[in-house]
């Protein structure tokens, strides 16, 4: 039975001058994953025109009950348990390399060791009780304040109706950030205030976006160069301020997320002066119909004030890690509040708890992070080396899923909905292009709105892809390995784009083996994505070189890779059918 493959192209964002054509830039899922045929992002007004390629929404008969897929089920039944067994054996105390990393392990539950050596996740995991206490204080106070000081009206449609909730946000955020960063809150306040001055001084002037970007990029580099600054460097009489660093002295690390909000405010404000159509008062009387509308529709002129700006930039639930929400969306959700049924909130609590338990089990069962930190795989079987690389990527995905989901849930309990950052498992991706739509999705939407479209969108796709991933690398951290990651991603995207043009579905889709040809391409994509992400976020360039040498320096290594490619081919076929099944249910995630 024939099954056709849905192609993806990076950031298929298109903007036209007409309102109807500006209605969407990319077919995305709604913030509630699985909602059918929904999207949540609209571009800012753009000046360049692009040709929009309609998303393929044709469906095909199910393949789940075919002989071909029965064979794939057998492959899965053998490979998946064997993968876990192999990873566990690489972590065994009987492995000669165990001595190289055992000092990184901690005492876990039930007498087992636990790998808590990932600094980012360990910091979150160790402070879960504190964070839970903060949420337990914040949410009741927020709802109490809302019940006493906010009108019972369902919406605040009139610009004369102040957003009193922002006062609570500011008060709590000030206390929260002082607890987190101590006197460094003064540094944060100074940087945030200067950005606001740029916005107000520039207004709709053409130099304002340039000044915004220069200022915020400069802050990224200066934060890194001066390690968050010291008050003593300004004047010796201020040295005493350096003594109170709060619970986390590295305020500059989490400030990267804040920088995105600063750019969002300035650009949203700038676009109020450069919109392509007049917004009538009747438009404000209507609640946004979609999440895209919340992003697209400018707020009242008075809403771009310092108080609301600070409440947005320092909003406690999303301050540390996001997900990222635009200023327009934030204000829209205050003027037209969302309501979340108890069953929806309960579902997200359950998902978070399940992810936490999965992470605990995995870190007790295998020690992939500790092994990769010490590159402790000398003389390990080739398949074990492969599993060390694979499970490192899975654990990176899982830790970020947990962190982002925790803070997103905190915001939802407060009535603010940010995009869900991870809408697919890391190993449920065959397209390099689709992968970046589903990984850190709120960041992807931010990039589309504030970088990709203003630079020309798909009209200058290859040029913009390089700029986008260079920025993403620098934004994460100013390191050579992350620049290498960004440029590798840009390079590895090229084969998929080229293949899509050589073998377009419109021309080749009727060929009986087209789906299998696409699966071969998917194998190459998966391998390249693994290499790039191992370079950027796991073991660096030298570690990947070491791993690849161990993999390809022997006949056994080549045979192992051949077997892995066969397994990836089967996985790609199943991923194709998963997406076809979603389309048959009316779900179009475009990734």
């Amino acid at each position: 039975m024939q099954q056709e493959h849905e192609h993806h192209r990076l950031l298929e964002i298109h903007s036209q001058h007409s309102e109807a054509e500006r209605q969407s830039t990319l077919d995305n899922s709604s913030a509630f994953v699985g909602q059918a045929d929904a999207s949540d992002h609209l571009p800012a007004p753009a000046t360049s025109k692009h040709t929009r390629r309609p998303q393929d929404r044709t469906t095909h008969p199910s393949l789940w009950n075919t002989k071909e897929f029965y064979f794939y089920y057998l492959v899965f039944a053998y490979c998946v348990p064997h993968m876990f067994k192999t990873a566990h054996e690489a972590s065994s105390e009987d492995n000669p390399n165990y001595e190289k990393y055992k000092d990184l392990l901690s005492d876990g539950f039930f007498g087992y060791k636990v790998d808590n050596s990932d600094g980012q996740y360990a910091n979150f995991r160790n402070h879960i009780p504190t964070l839970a206490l903060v949420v337990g204080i914040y949410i009741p106070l927020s709802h109490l304040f809302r019940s006493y000081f906010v009108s019972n009206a369902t919406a605040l449609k009139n610009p004369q109706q102040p957003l009193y909730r922002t006062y609570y946000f500011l008060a709590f955020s000030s206390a929260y950030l002082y607890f987190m960063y101590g006197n460094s809150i003064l540094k944060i306040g100074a940087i945030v205030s200067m950005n606001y001055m740029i916005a107000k001084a520039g207004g709709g002037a053409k130099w304002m976006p340039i000044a915004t970007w220069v200022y915020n990029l400069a802050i990224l580099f200066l934060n890194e160069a001066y390690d968050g600054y010291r008050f003593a460097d300004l004047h010796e009489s201020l040295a005493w301020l350096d003594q109170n660093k709060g619970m986390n002295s590295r305020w500059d690390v989490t400030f990267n997320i804040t920088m995105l909000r600063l750019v969002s405010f300035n650009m949203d404000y700038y676009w109020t002066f450069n919109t392509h159509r007049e917004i009538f008062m009747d438009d404000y009387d209507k609640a946004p119909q979609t999440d895209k509308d919340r992003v697209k529709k400018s707020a009242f002129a008075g809403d771009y004030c310092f108080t609301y700006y600070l409440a947005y930039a320092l909003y406690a639930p999303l301050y540390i890690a996001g997900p990222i929400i635009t200023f327009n969306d934030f204000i829209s959700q205050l003027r037209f509040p969302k309501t979340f049924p108890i069953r929806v909130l309960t579902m997200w609590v359950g998902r978070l708890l399940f992810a936490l338990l999965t992470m605990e089990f995995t870190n007790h069962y295998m020690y992939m992070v500790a092994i990769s930190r010490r590159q402790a795989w000398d003389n390990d079987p080739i398949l074990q080396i492969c599993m060390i690389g694979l499970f490192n990527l899975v654990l990176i995905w899982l830790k970020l899923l947990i962190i982002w989901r925790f803070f997103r849930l905190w915001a939802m309990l407060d009535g603010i909905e940010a995009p869900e950052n991870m809408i697919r498992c890391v190993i449920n991706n065959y397209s390099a292009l689709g992968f970046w739509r589903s990984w850190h999705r709120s960041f992807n939407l931010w990039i589309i709105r504030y970088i990709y479209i203003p630079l020309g969108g798909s009209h200058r796709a290859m040029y913009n892809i390089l700029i986008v991933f260079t920025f993403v690398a620098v934004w994460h951290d100013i390191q050579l390995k992350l620049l290498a990651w960004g440029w590798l991603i840009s390079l590895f995207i090229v084969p998929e784009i080229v293949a899509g043009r050589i073998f377009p579905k419109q021309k080749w889709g009727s060929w009986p083996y087209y789906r299998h040809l696409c699966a071969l391409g998917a194998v190459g994509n998966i391998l390249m994505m693994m290499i790039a992400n191992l370079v950027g976020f796991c073991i660096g360039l030298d570690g990947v070189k070491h791993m690849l040498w161990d993999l390809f320096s022997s006949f056994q290594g080549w045979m192992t890779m051949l077997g892995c490619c066969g397994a990836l081919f089967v996985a790609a076929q199943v991923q194709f059918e998963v997406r076809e099944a979603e389309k048959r249910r009316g779900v179009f995630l475009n990734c």
Side-chain angles (χ1 to χ4, degrees):
M1 185 177 295
Q2 180 179 330
Q3 175 76 6
E4 297 182 0
H5 169 56
E6 178 185 352
H7 283 292
H8 302 279
R9 299 182 191 279
L10 178 68
L11 308 173
E12 287 277 353
I13 312 306
H14 312 280
S15 178
Q16 298 290 349
H17 289 300
S18 69
E19 178 61 23
E21 289 169 296
R22 284 206 312 271
Q23 281 303 307
S24 64
T25 62
L26 182 63
D27 290 304
N28 290 300
S29 68
S30 69
F32 292 111
V33 178
Q35 181 173 334
D37 195 13
S39 51
D40 63 359
H41 190 73
L42 274 176
T47 57
S48 57
K49 293 185 178 182
H50 312 284
T51 303
R52 178 176 174 81
R53 180 183 67 88
Q55 185 187 30
D56 176 25
R57 297 193 171 188
T58 59
T59 59
H60 305 279
S62 172
L63 296 179
W64 295 122
N65 292 320
T66 62
K67 292 180 180 179
E68 176 189 352
F69 270 70
Y70 289 151
F71 170 73
Y72 296 159
Y73 302 152
L74 292 176
V75 174
F76 263 73
Y78 171 77
C79 286
V80 174
H82 190 62
M83 289 164 60
F84 277 89
K85 178 176 178 292
T86 303
H88 180 64
E89 290 173 348
S91 308
S92 170
E93 295 182 11
D94 298 329
N95 190 305
N97 292 307
Y98 180 78
E99 296 296 321
K100 297 179 181 179
Y101 63 84
K102 71 175 185 179
D103 60 300
L104 297 178
L105 306 180
S106 309
D107 292 331
F109 297 113
F110 309 113
Y112 289 91
K113 292 291 184 180
V114 62
D115 183 359
N116 197 32
S117 59
D118 184 304
Q120 184 182 34
Y121 184 71
N123 189 44
F124 173 80
R125 179 179 184 266
N126 296 341
H127 290 99
I128 286 178
T130 304
L131 287 170
L133 177 62
V134 171
V135 175
I137 295 172
Y138 176 93
I139 294 300
L141 289 178
S142 179
H143 285 277
L144 185 65
F145 182 93
R146 188 174 181 179
S147 65
Y148 274 94
F149 297 101
V150 179
S151 170
N152 292 326
T154 57
L156 302 173
K157 303 175 183 179
N158 193 310
Q160 304 305 318
Q161 294 176 286
L163 302 176
Y164 288 117
R165 292 191 69 198
T166 57
Y167 302 136
Y168 173 76
F169 293 165
L170 265 178
F172 191 93
S173 293
S174 298
Y176 176 65
L177 294 183
Y178 185 76
F179 171 75
M180 289 291 298
Y181 305 118
N183 291 330
S184 291
I185 192 175
L186 299 175
K187 306 170 190 175
I188 296 171
I191 295 172
V192 170
S193 298
M194 182 61 70
N195 182 76
Y196 180 80
M197 293 179 189
I198 292 173
K200 287 300 181 177
K206 292 183 178 180
W207 62 263
M208 200 273 270
I210 299 173
T212 294
W213 276 103
V214 170
Y215 173 74
N216 281 280
L217 289 174
I219 289 296
L220 285 185
F221 281 94
L222 291 172
N223 285 353
E224 178 74 17
Y226 291 94
D227 197 26
Y229 320 106
R230 293 191 312 141
F231 287 104
D233 293 335
L234 299 177
H235 196 276
E236 60 182 12
S237 64
L238 300 177
W240 64 275
L241 290 172
D242 290 318
Q243 297 175 8
N244 181 8
K245 297 182 179 180
M247 193 176 74
N248 183 356
S249 62
R250 293 304 308 275
W251 68 271
D252 52 303
V253 174
T254 55
F255 192 81
N256 287 15
I257 292 284
T258 306
M259 172 260 180
L260 303 180
R261 289 189 283 267
L262 302 191
V263 171
S264 174
F265 173 84
N266 283 23
M267 295 305 297
D268 284 0
Y269 180 60
Y270 169 77
W271 281 321
T272 64
F273 296 91
N274 294 275
T275 184
H276 284 284
R277 71 182 183 93
E278 182 180 359
I279 299 178
F280 297 96
M281 286 303 298
D282 287 346
D283 294 334
Y284 286 109
D285 289 337
K286 301 174 183 177
Q289 298 300 306
T290 67
D291 291 328
K292 281 189 176 184
D293 291 339
R294 293 183 183 275
V295 174
K296 170 199 169 187
K297 183 185 289 186
S298 296
F300 293 120
D303 288 343
Y304 295 92
C305 64
F306 191 58
T307 301
Y308 298 173
Y309 164 72
L310 281 181
Y312 164 70
L314 306 180
Y315 182 57
L318 303 179
Y319 183 84
I320 293 178
I324 303 150
I325 185 173
T326 70
F327 179 79
N328 285 351
D329 192 1
F330 180 78
I331 293 298
S332 176
Q333 293 194 49
L334 292 180
R335 290 210 172 273
F336 298 92
K338 286 190 172 185
T339 56
F340 305 105
I342 295 297
R343 62 177 182 80
V344 171
L345 295 174
T346 303
M347 176 194 72
W348 284 109
V349 170
R351 288 184 172 186
L352 175 62
L353 292 176
F354 180 77
L356 279 166
L357 292 174
T358 301
M359 179 64 106
E360 286 300 308
F361 169 78
T362 305
N363 283 337
H364 281 76
Y365 184 76
M366 59 182 75
Y367 312 133
M368 298 294 99
V369 178
I371 291 173
S372 67
R373 285 188 61 187
R374 296 290 169 80
Q375 298 187 16
W377 54 71
D378 292 338
N379 301 315
D380 278 356
I382 299 299
L383 188 59
Q384 285 188 12
I385 296 175
C386 292
M387 292 303 103
I388 291 170
L390 175 64
F391 277 99
N392 260 288
L393 295 178
V394 172
L395 288 171
I396 289 174
W397 166 80
L398 187 55
K399 76 167 181 181
L400 293 176
L401 174 78
I402 291 170
I403 293 171
W404 285 329
R405 227 167 236 190
F406 176 88
F407 290 108
R408 179 175 183 263
L409 177 61
W410 180 1
M412 288 179 67
L413 292 171
D414 195 31
I416 300 293
E417 182 187 29
E420 167 70 359
N421 266 341
M422 299 291 203
I423 59 176
R424 288 206 190 276
C425 177
V426 64
I427 54 176
N428 185 18
N429 287 279
Y430 61 84
S431 164
L433 309 179
F435 174 77
W436 294 111
R437 298 190 189 108
S438 65
W439 178 285
H440 204 169
R441 179 166 157 269
S442 67
F443 190 26
N444 178 56
L445 295 174
W446 185 94
I447 287 171
I448 291 168
R449 179 172 173 82
Y450 300 112
I451 300 180
Y452 190 75
I453 291 176
L455 289 178
S458 59
H459 185 64
R460 301 182 182 90
M462 298 308 302
Y463 169 76
N464 290 338
I465 286 169
L466 181 61
I467 293 178
V468 162
F469 282 106
T470 299
F471 167 76
V472 171
V474 171
W475 178 82
H476 275 91
D477 204 352
I478 303 171
Q479 295 182 18
L480 177 60
K481 71 174 186 178
L482 285 172
L483 281 173
W485 165 83
W487 294 333
L488 280 173
I489 290 294
S490 301
L491 176 64
F492 290 164
I493 281 173
V494 173
E496 182 173 345
I497 294 176
V498 172
R501 293 176 179 175
I502 295 175
F503 301 102
K505 182 175 181 180
Q506 294 86 344
K507 180 178 179 180
W508 292 85
S510 59
W511 185 41
Y513 299 101
Y514 181 68
R515 174 166 53 88
H516 304 298
L517 176 65
C518 292
L520 289 175
V523 171
N525 271 346
I526 293 170
L527 292 175
M528 288 188 290
M529 285 191 290
M530 289 182 64
I531 291 172
N533 285 294
L534 285 171
V535 168
F537 298 102
C538 289
I539 54 181
L541 280 167
D542 292 337
V544 169
K545 289 178 183 176
H546 184 191
M547 182 174 284
L548 292 177
W549 171 255
D550 290 343
L551 192 58
F552 292 110
S553 60
S554 67
F555 177 77
Q556 180 190 1
W558 283 96
M559 291 296 99
T560 300
M561 273 305 300
L562 184 62
C564 289
C565 288
L568 291 176
F569 179 87
V570 171
Q573 297 281 9
V574 174
Q575 290 178 40
F576 294 166
E577 186 59 19
V578 166
R579 285 153 179 78
E580 285 295 325
E582 290 173 350
K583 288 161 66 177
R584 287 191 289 269
R585 299 197 310 271
V587 177
F588 303 92
L589 298 184
N590 200 32
C591 60

